[in-house]
Amino acid sequence: MVTSLNRLFSDTGTIVVARYAGLTVADMTRLRTNMRSSGGSVKVAKNRLAKLALQGTDAVHIADLFKGPTVIVFSRDPVAAAKVTTDFAKANEKLVILGGALGKTNLNPEGVKALAALPSLDELRAKLVGMVQTPATRMAQIVAAPAGKLARVVGAYAKKSEAA
């Protein structure tokens, strides 16, 4: 168990630790389903085993978060675990985000929420594809727009000086 958790902590992009006291089995199943659909996973492990598994990983600094009934939410996508956990915590106040890790960076609960506000890798890829597919005429319009505005301003000054 410690070896598999250690491998998981080493291979993941983001880890979020939350307190789950009071969640029903149906709530935990919904959290697991939401996380799985986003490409991550949810684990519940004994705190002592989780602390041992953190040794030798970049996330060793979050060991102090493992007190009481904790759930580990993780994903390779740096945003997915934070986004799913934050959205679930908004809908269910019994899930309390304690903090997490993004590589070697320690995240407090506000840091996890800030990370959740960022677009995911898939959203960024979609925006990039959309930008690449923009027709050349639209790009030409965008580039020419400042020059057109400048020409109108110069024309207005010329008309003003002729009138004076």
Side-chain angles (χ1 to χ4, degrees), residues 5-29:
L5 275 174
N6 182 278
R7 195 173 316 115
L8 179 127
F9 289 143
S10 298
D11 294 343
T12 190
T14 305
I15 302 167
V16 177
V17 180
R19 183 162 289 118
Y20 71 96
L23 285 181
T24 64
V25 173
D27 292 334
M28 283 297 286
T29 302

Side-chain angles (χ1 to χ4, degrees), residues 111-135:
V112 172
K113 290 175 185 167
L115 185 61
L118 296 174
S120 70
L121 285 176
D122 289 339
E123 291 168 345
L124 288 174
R125 287 180 186 129
K127 286 180 182 179
L128 183 62
V129 167
M131 288 173 56
V132 169
Q133 291 179 343
T134 302

Side-chain angles (χ1 to χ4, degrees), residues 70-135:
T70 53
V71 62
I72 308 161
V73 183
F74 55 92
S75 66
R76 289 184 190 269
D77 181 341
V79 178
K83 190 171 290 230
V84 170
T85 308
T86 302
D87 290 346
F88 191 85
K90 285 179 187 174
N92 194 331
E93 73 272 352
K94 292 179 182 174
L95 183 75
V96 179
I97 297 172
L98 301 174
L102 176 62
K104 292 184 179 183
T105 306
N106 194 21
L107 299 172
N108 60 12
E110 290 75 30
V112 172
K113 290 175 185 167
L115 185 61
L118 296 174
S120 70
L121 285 176
D122 289 339
E123 291 168 345
L124 288 174
R125 287 180 186 129
K127 286 180 182 179
L128 183 62
V129 167
M131 288 173 56
V132 169
Q133 291 179 343
T134 302

